[in-house]
Amino acid sequence: MLAALFVVFVALIYVGTKRVLFTSAAERSAGAAHQISGQIATLKDSPFGPVSLRTALSDQSFLDEFAGSGLFVEAFNEYGKPIGKSNNLATSDLPTSGYEAWSPPFPTPGIEWGIATVKDARMLVSRQTFPSGRTPEATIYIGQSLVGMDGILHNFRNLLLTGLLIAFLFIILASISLARAALGPIGHITKAAREISGEQLGKRLNWKGRSDELGALGRTFDEMLSRLEHAFERERRFIADASHELKTPLTVINANSQMLTRWGARDEKVLREALVTIEAESATMARVINAMLTLAKTDNPSALTMEAVDVGDVVRDVGTALQASAQSKGLTLNVIAELGAYVHGERGLLRQLVINLVENAIKFTEAGSVTLALRPAADGVVLTVQDSGPGISGDSLPHIFNRFYRADPARSRTVEGTGLGLAVVENIVRVHGGRIEVTSQPGEGTTFTVRLPSDASLPPAQPAA
């Protein structure tokens, strides 16, 4: 870009200089033409009697008055034959045809211009015709040699090209120097990136002394590595926990399959108990796998099919479906929801969110009630699930959304679950642009509050008075 600007700048200088020199040459020729016209007019009004035009133009001394160094004058009659010429032309004649038309940057009425080549040398030629009545009586040609000007332009062009070449070399050297200074740190980043693997995410650039853009890039690179390290660690823990959760039911299924092989055909009790156990463990595995698939689905929001969903309808549907589960434990399931509360989301995931929260409340509540409520808000909807269960300790609250986390491991062995329910809930809330909060006191129950933004394409739900 800089080189192109230099080229344009040099070209403009050259064109401007050429224009100035041509204008100067044209002004000299035009001045001579005006002097000749004035002198001819004077001769016609001479007190000693008028002098004819041809007589004046055939006088070499008359024409020499207007000629000069590099400036030539020659007159022709109406038939194109020479009448007279300045002494500096000697035996040569000015060209009367075959020249390239040209116009000066100033008005010259009655004068025609052109550029001719005479013996490999350029000449600026002007032509002025003097009429006699309706027919031309004589034509005066004034030739301005451009040899000197072309020599000046040639030297000036060489000077500009030399300067341009030097400027290009300077730009190239400066660019190489700047590129090395700029790409050196980037090469360091590239080398560090090549040395990093899934087992060596602890490496950092530690560019704390740079305050420029590269310093910011280095700090961003370190921050990215920190996020990757934490993400890899979470995935490792998740894989280890998932393997453990799946290993237990697989081990039980395998043991019961062996029992069936050995005694199933002979002992009906063994057959029945083994089949019941296999079915229960298979269901546990299915729940774990379904929860993991839901987590994977919510980890890729771009693959979700979003639409306008009436959350009130979803809440009523889930409340109806889980009434039997609550009644089997002697609990009261209260459902408070009005239709017409829309959000932009995926209905299946929103239903899973409500199911997980309500099932979790029923699972850990031994007596009392569970309340599922939905109310519209100015910017969306608010879903609350409140139970009268044992509550959650303050130490466990920050971790309840972690995958496979169990607040009470001893009690969790007697309570059916995957350890992924609340992790799934948090992911579903996140991909819908909402937020989830939990308040709990041991012995006083737990309340989960989910806030989801409304569907912008529909009228917002009106808050209840």
Side-chain angles (χ1 to χ4, degrees):
M1 183 63 182
L2 184 60
L5 289 176
F6 267 111
V7 171
V8 172
F9 178 69
V10 168
L12 289 175
I13 291 178
Y14 179 77
V15 170
T17 302
K18 184 177 180 180
R19 181 182 177 87
V20 169
L21 291 176
F22 261 99
T23 301
S24 176
E27 286 176 345
R28 186 183 182 196
S29 295
H34 290 316
Q35 289 178 6
I36 292 174
S37 298
Q39 191 66 27
I40 289 173
T42 301
L43 291 174
K44 289 182 178 180
D45 298 330
S46 173
F48 301 104
V51 180
S52 68
L53 179 61
R54 291 192 180 186
T55 301
L57 295 179
S58 62
D59 184 1
Q60 189 179 72
S61 61
F62 174 78
L63 296 178
D64 283 341
E65 293 180 15
F66 312 105
S69 176
L71 187 66
F72 310 95
V73 182
E74 187 171 6
F76 295 84
N77 63 19
E78 67 271 28
Y79 303 109
K81 301 298 182 180
I83 300 174
K85 57 185 174 182
S86 58
N87 185 55
N88 57 0
L89 274 173
T91 60
S92 300
D93 290 314
L94 291 177
T96 59
S97 62
Y99 48 78
E100 178 186 353
W102 180 83
S103 297
F106 52 86
T108 55
I111 302 177
E112 297 179 6
W113 298 85
I115 298 175
T117 302
V118 180
K119 297 180 180 179
D120 297 329
R122 295 199 307 163
M123 178 179 290
L124 178 62
V125 180
S126 65
R127 183 179 71 180
Q128 185 176 17
T129 301
F130 292 88
S132 175
R134 296 183 177 180
T135 60
E137 182 177 357
T139 303
I140 298 178
Y141 285 83
I142 300 176
Q144 169 69 56
S145 174
L146 299 180
V147 173
M149 187 196 76
D150 286 343
I152 293 174
L153 287 176
H154 177 74
N155 294 333
F156 187 60
R157 182 170 62 248
N158 290 339
L159 179 64
L160 289 177
L161 290 176
T162 302
L164 187 62
L165 180 60
I166 293 173
F168 279 166
L169 292 175
F170 176 77
I171 291 173
I172 292 172
L173 293 176
S175 299
I176 293 174
S177 177
L178 291 174
R180 287 179 177 175
L183 296 178
I186 295 177
H188 185 52
I189 294 177
T190 303
K191 181 181 178 182
R194 288 174 177 169
E195 295 175 354
I196 294 170
S197 65
E199 304 299 327
Q200 295 178 332
L201 289 172
K203 187 177 180 63
R204 299 291 185 272
L205 295 176
N206 292 321
W207 286 356
K208 298 180 179 179
R210 299 188 67 121
S211 58
D212 56 2
E213 289 80 1
L214 288 174
L217 177 61
R219 290 189 294 274
T220 303
F221 185 79
D222 287 346
E223 292 170 0
M224 179 194 69
L225 288 179
S226 297
R227 293 193 297 270
L228 284 175
E229 186 176 18
H230 294 150
F232 267 69
E233 183 59 31
R234 287 196 302 271
E235 291 302 316
R236 289 192 187 99
R237 288 199 304 268
F238 175 71
I239 292 172
D241 292 339
S243 300
H244 174 74
E245 294 294 327
L246 293 174
K247 182 179 180 181
T248 301
L250 283 173
T251 302
V252 174
I253 290 173
N254 183 52
N256 280 272
S257 298
Q258 294 179 16
M259 288 177 58
L260 286 174
T261 302
R262 294 181 182 181
W263 299 295
R266 291 176 293 174
D267 191 331
E268 184 177 346
K269 181 180 179 182
V270 170
L271 174 63
R272 185 170 56 255
E273 291 178 351
L275 289 175
V276 169
T277 302
I278 290 174
E279 181 182 5
E281 295 302 327
S282 297
T284 299
M285 286 182 59
R287 287 194 296 271
V288 172
I289 293 172
N290 287 334
M292 292 172 66
L293 290 174
T294 302
L295 286 172
K297 184 177 181 180
T298 54
D299 281 338
N300 184 22
S302 61
L304 301 179
T305 303
M306 298 294 202
E307 59 182 350
V309 179
D310 187 349
V311 186
D313 183 52
V314 173
V315 168
R316 289 188 179 186
D317 179 38
V318 172
T320 301
L322 296 181
Q323 281 289 353
S325 177
Q327 291 173 2
S328 67
K329 291 190 66 174
L331 302 176
T332 300
L333 176 58
N334 303 309
V335 179
I336 307 170
E338 295 182 3
L339 298 178
Y342 286 89
V343 300
H344 186 66
E346 185 172 276
R347 184 181 181 87
L349 290 180
L350 292 172
R351 189 174 190 278
Q352 187 67 52
L353 181 155
V354 181
I355 287 175
N356 284 12
L357 288 177
V358 176
E359 282 187 340
N360 206 59
I362 293 173
K363 185 192 309 180
F364 290 99
T365 302
E366 299 300 331
S369 64
V370 174
T371 300
L372 170 61
L374 178 74
R375 60 181 176 84
D379 57 349
V381 297
V382 178
L383 172 73
T384 58
V385 177
Q386 184 178 11
D387 63 56
S388 57
I392 304 172
S393 68
D395 293 337
S396 297
L397 274 178
H399 309 290
I400 61 173
F401 294 107
N402 294 347
R403 299 175 182 185
F404 296 112
Y405 179 79
R406 300 183 189 276
D408 186 355
R411 189 167 185 268
S412 295
R413 285 193 292 268
T414 63
V415 177
E416 182 180 306
T418 64
L420 293 172
L422 291 180
V424 169
V425 166
E426 184 185 42
N427 264 27
I428 294 174
V429 172
R430 175 178 56 80
V431 299
H432 284 83
R435 64 182 188 274
I436 184 169
E437 303 165 355
V438 57
T439 56
S440 183
Q441 290 291 336
E444 297 182 7
T446 303
T447 301
F448 285 89
T449 303
V450 177
R451 303 178 188 276
L452 298 173
S454 60
D455 186 353
S457 65
L458 297 171
Q462 296 300 321

